[in-house]
Amino acid sequence: MGSEKQGFIWLSALLFLNIFVLSTADVHYYEFSLQESTFTKLCSTKIILTVNGSFPGPEIRVRRGDTVVVNVHNQANYAVSLDWEGVEDTIDGSNNTIQPGENFTYNIELGDEIGTLRWHATSAWAAATVHGAFVILPVANKDYPFPAPTSDQTIILGEWFREELTEANQTIAPGSADAYTINGYPGETYGCSNDTTFEMQVDYQGLYLVRVINAVANETMLFDIERHRLTIVGQNGTYTNRSFTSSLTLAPGQVIDVLLCPNQNVGHYYITARSSSGRHITNGILRYTTTTTSF
């Protein structure tokens, strides 16, 4: 009888835990509008396909175990579908193609995914501009398995084409990019004075969780921050054993989460993204805003 009673107690405890976890999960609603938008980069203006008029697209930010409902309105002139990297098995309607003028709702039930994933259009030409981060935070009141960051920053490495990526060439992948971007900014290396450079502001001895996504379709990208070490803590929607490096190598579609502790002299330092082929190089700026920690 003692063992039966003990088993009943354990079963009751597990049932209570499951009910508690389910009760703390939230449902998040997002509205995505696929639309054509005008952007100027590399000293020329073109029309690109976007979500909600932004490049990169909007970030989804939820907690582990939550449900995400994304209602997509297709206001473009061609059919588009979206892919949710790393959570395909939990999505209702993941292969749905949305025709022009129609909408479709993706219901995404998260399970054990944690850290950073990405979403993007399924066709290569549309994915060049239709993509974004999918950030999954720990359950409320649960600690990270590494020192807790004071802030976090998503960095998406993208590509820019001078050619029009439109309905006429939607069945083929785009060729070589004319530039790479950091969060949509080409930076100062392409000879156009109108191009903007991405800037990340940090406090001295703060601790930042930097989520680096390679959205470049056919290039392995190299990423580093001048004179700063990085601690790898996660990849592709899961935590990993901590490892230390001065640079990252990201395959196409790969996501790496790193901790950054700004501990150099006050000033600014280059954030650099380059392809392994050496075709282009793009710079951003890491800028210190204080010389002493405020925590």
Side-chain angles (χ1 to χ4, degrees):
M1 292 295 292
S3 60
E4 292 180 358
K5 182 177 181 180
Q6 186 177 29
F8 175 77
I9 292 174
W10 275 107
L11 181 61
S12 299
L14 287 173
L15 180 61
F16 172 79
L17 180 61
N18 287 333
I19 293 174
F20 175 76
V21 170
L22 289 173
S23 66
T24 58
D26 291 327
V27 180
H28 302 266
Y29 296 90
Y30 288 84
E31 295 289 332
F32 278 15
S33 177
L34 287 160
Q35 57 190 246
E36 294 182 343
S37 304
T38 301
F39 280 78
T40 299
K41 299 183 189 298
L42 306 186
C43 292
S44 63
T45 300
K46 58 179 285 189
I47 295 175
I48 64 172
L49 184 65
T50 68
V51 170
N52 298 352
S54 65
F55 169 68
E59 178 176 284
I60 291 176
R61 181 170 287 252
V62 296
R63 294 191 180 275
R64 192 175 197 174
D66 285 349
T67 296
V68 186
V69 180
V70 185
N71 190 25
V72 183
H73 307 264
N74 187 358
Q75 298 176 346
N77 296 317
Y78 24 81
V80 180
S81 61
L82 299 183
D83 191 14
W84 311 87
E85 292 282 352
V87 292
E88 288 89 345
D89 292 341
T90 66
I91 295 179
D92 177 17
S94 59
N95 296 318
N96 187 275
T97 298
I98 310 168
Q99 298 297 326
E102 297 184 357
N103 72 291
F104 181 79
T105 300
Y106 294 90
N107 292 284
I108 307 168
E109 296 181 1
L110 296 174
D112 292 333
E113 300 88 356
I114 191 72
T116 313
L117 294 167
R118 69 186 186 110
W119 61 266
H120 59 88
T122 54
S123 67
W125 74 271
T129 55
V130 177
H131 58 255
F134 197 132
V135 175
I136 306 170
L137 302 171
V139 174
N141 301 319
K142 186 168 184 179
D143 295 333
Y144 290 94
F146 45 79
T150 53
S151 185
D152 71 273
Q153 172 69 56
T154 300
I155 291 181
I156 300 180
L157 309 181
E159 53 193 336
W160 187 261
F161 299 85
R162 286 192 173 94
E163 67 174 308
E164 293 288 343
L165 305 179
T166 62
E167 183 178 15
N169 58 8
Q170 65 174 302
T171 59
I172 61 174
S176 298
D178 296 294
Y180 297 124
T181 60
I182 299 177
N183 285 0
Y185 299 107
E188 59 187 28
T189 60
Y190 297 100
C192 179
S193 60
N194 294 328
D195 284 335
T196 308
T197 300
F198 167 75
E199 183 171 305
M200 177 180 173
Q201 295 188 346
V202 296
D203 289 333
Y204 177 76
Q205 290 189 347
L207 187 62
Y208 296 83
L209 179 55
V210 183
R211 312 170 187 273
V212 187
I213 300 173
N214 181 11
V216 179
N218 298 309
E219 287 278 8
T220 295
M221 297 296 289
L222 310 177
F223 174 88
D224 66 83
I225 301 176
E226 180 186 11
R227 293 177 59 183
H228 288 76
R229 297 278 290 174
L230 305 171
T231 303
I232 298 175
V233 295
Q235 294 192 48
N236 300 323
T238 186
Y239 293 140
T240 62
N241 293 329
R242 276 178 269 177
S243 59
F244 306 94
T245 184
S246 57
S247 64
L248 303 177
T249 300
L250 298 100
Q254 187 174 8
V255 182
I256 301 180
D257 294 338
V258 299
L259 290 177
L260 166 69
C261 180
N263 56 7
Q264 301 299 310
N265 292 329
V266 65
H268 68 272
Y269 299 85
Y270 279 115
I271 301 170
T272 302
R274 61 170 68 85
S275 65
S276 59
S277 66
R279 182 173 288 113
H280 299 298
I281 183 171
T282 295
N283 287 333
I285 297 293
L286 182 80
R287 188 178 303 279
Y288 282 63
T289 58
T290 63
T291 56
T292 59
T293 180
S294 58
F295 318 63

